[in-house]
Amino acid sequence: MVNILIRTIILYLVVLFILRVMGKGDLSKMDPFQVVVLFMIAELAALPIETPDISVFTGLTALLTLLLLDVVISSLSQKCQWFKNLVNGKASILVEKGVINEKEMKRLRINFDDLSEQLRIKNYPSIADLDYVILEANGDMSVIPKPEKNPVTREDMGIQPGNEFLPLIIIADGILYKSNLKKLAKDEAFLKAQLSIQGITDYSQVLFCFSDETGMFKIYPKSESTKGWDIQ
Amino acid sequence: MRSLVISIIALSLILGSWGLFMGYANKSLRNMIQTVKNEVMVEVVQDNWDNSEKALEQVSSSWYRGRKGYSIFLNARSIDDIESSISKALAYVRMKEKANALGELAYLHHQLIFLLENEMILLENIL
C-alpha cells in the first residue's frame, strides 16, 4: 500500500515536471496534437500506479519520450509553417464576407444546427450579422461581425480614456501583497490609514482587497456581508 | 529552446542509465544462461548432484547481485518468475529429483533467454 503511495508521489512529481517543461504556451494552445499528448501523459502516468508489475522507470521513459516529442514538434512548428499545418491543420473559413462556404462546411461535416449553436454561444444569433466565421485549427470558432454590427467603442464615441492600471490584488485572506502595493506607488501607511477609516485595524480582518483598472482600492472585509468599500 | 534542452537531458539520463544497465545485464544474463545449460543441466543429467547444486547456487547469487537493477528496469512479473524458478530448481536438485530438476532448469533457462531477448532492440519487441 505504501509502495503505491510512493509510486503515486513520484509519478505526480514527474507529470508536474513535464507540464512545467512543456510550458504555458503549449498547454494554452490545446490543438489536436496537444490534446492527444495530454491524454497520453495522463494514461501513461496512471499505468505504473495501477499496475505494480510495470516499473516506474518504464513509465518515466515513456513520459519523457512524449515530452521530448512534444517539445521537438512544437519547436519545429514554430520554425516551419508547412510542418505546423501538417501537425495541427489549418483554420477553415466557414463564412467569408457574409457568404456561407457550404463546400467547406460539408468537408468538415458541420451542419447549420452546429454552426447556429456555436454562433449563439458566441452571442451572435444571426449569421446575417457576420462577416467572417473561422473554425480554428484547435476546434474553436472565431467570429468577426460586419463593421456596422460591431459594438461601439470609446474611440467611436470620441471619448478619451483615462489612465488605466492593471488590476492587482492587495490583500487576500488577510495576507498583504507588498509587491503589488509597491507597483501602485502606495505604502502600507496609506493602506492602513484607509482601512482604519472603515474600522479595520488588522489585515486579518480583510477578506479581499484589490485595486481596479482606475487605481481605486476595493475592500471586502471578513464579515457576513460581502459588500465592499471603495477607496480612491 | 530551454524546454528542448531540459527534455533532451532528462531522456538522455534515462536512456544512459538503461544503456549502462543493459551492458551489465547482457553480460550477467548470458553467463547465467550458459551456466544453467552447460553446467547445471549437464551435471544433473550425469547425477553429479553436488556439482549441480554448486553451479546453481552460483547462478542464484549472480542473479541476486543484480536484483536491484533488474527490479528497476525490468518487468516485475518476469523477475518473480525467475526467482521462483531458481528456488524450485534448487529444491529439486537438493532432493535429487532428476526429472523435476531438469524440467525446472529448462524453464529457468527459457525465462533467462526471454528476459534478455525482451529488452533487445528488435522489430518483434517494438511491434
Side-chain angles (χ1 to χ4, degrees), chain A residues 10-232:
Chain A
I10 293 170
L11 286 156
Y12 172 84
L13 293 174
V14 170
V15 171
L16 188 70
F17 167 78
I18 286 171
L19 293 181
R20 292 287 294 127
V21 174
M22 279 169 77
K24 291 187 279 282
D26 264 16
L27 294 174
S28 66
K29 277 187 275 177
M30 288 304 277
D31 50 45
F33 177 71
Q34 220 64 44
V35 173
V36 171
V37 168
L38 287 174
F39 275 119
M40 285 176 80
I41 286 174
E43 185 65 28
L44 284 171
L47 265 178
I49 297 173
E50 292 168 351
T51 325
D53 282 351
I54 299 171
S55 74
V56 170
F57 196 85
T58 309
L60 254 172
T61 309
L63 285 167
L64 290 175
T65 308
L66 264 187
L67 169 68
L68 182 67
L69 280 174
D70 180 67
V71 172
V72 166
I73 286 174
S74 290
S75 305
L76 284 174
S77 299
Q78 211 175 10
K79 287 192 169 65
C80 185
Q81 187 63 39
W82 76 261
F83 186 77
K84 186 175 184 261
N85 292 342
L86 183 78
V87 176
N88 298 330
K90 280 197 286 189
S92 300
I93 300 175
L94 303 180
V95 175
E96 191 170 9
K97 291 180 181 170
V99 179
I100 297 167
N101 188 342
E102 202 185 336
K103 199 175 154 192
E104 192 67 2
M105 281 180 64
K106 271 190 183 157
R107 191 180 73 82
L108 296 168
R109 296 185 302 279
I110 293 175
N111 59 34
F112 283 98
D113 282 342
D114 300 330
L115 183 64
S116 302
E117 187 184 318
Q118 286 300 314
L119 295 179
R120 280 197 302 274
I121 291 168
K122 299 271 176 196
N123 226 2
Y124 288 100
S126 168
I127 297 179
D129 294 346
L130 305 174
D131 232 359
Y132 289 93
V133 176
I134 301 158
L135 188 66
E136 305 293 353
N138 66 359
D140 269 359
M141 204 172 269
S142 299
V143 177
I144 301 169
K146 285 180 176 165
E148 62 272 23
K149 299 290 180 183
N150 267 329
V152 179
T153 62
R154 284 184 187 181
E155 196 179 359
D156 295 333
M157 301 286 286
I159 299 169
Q160 288 295 318
N163 280 342
E164 292 214 348
F165 304 93
L166 178 71
L168 293 169
I169 296 172
I170 307 300
I171 301 169
D173 280 323
I175 296 163
L176 175 69
Y177 287 63
K178 281 185 185 171
S179 56
N180 288 352
L181 199 60
K182 207 172 168 184
K183 278 180 198 161
L184 293 165
K186 306 277 187 205
D187 55 15
E188 275 196 70
F190 166 81
L191 182 65
K192 279 180 180 167
Q194 298 305 316
L195 292 174
S196 67
I197 294 169
Q198 314 300 335
I200 296 168
T201 53
D202 193 82
Y203 297 140
S204 62
Q205 294 172 297
V206 181
L207 180 69
F208 187 54
C209 170
F210 73 101
S211 77
D212 67 9
E213 65 278 6
T214 60
M216 188 178 274
F217 283 29
K218 309 265 185 191
I219 302 169
Y220 292 84
K222 273 185 187 169
S223 65
E224 283 174 17
S225 157
T226 51
K227 190 171 176 276
W229 294 308
D230 299 343
I231 303 169
Q232 189 66 51

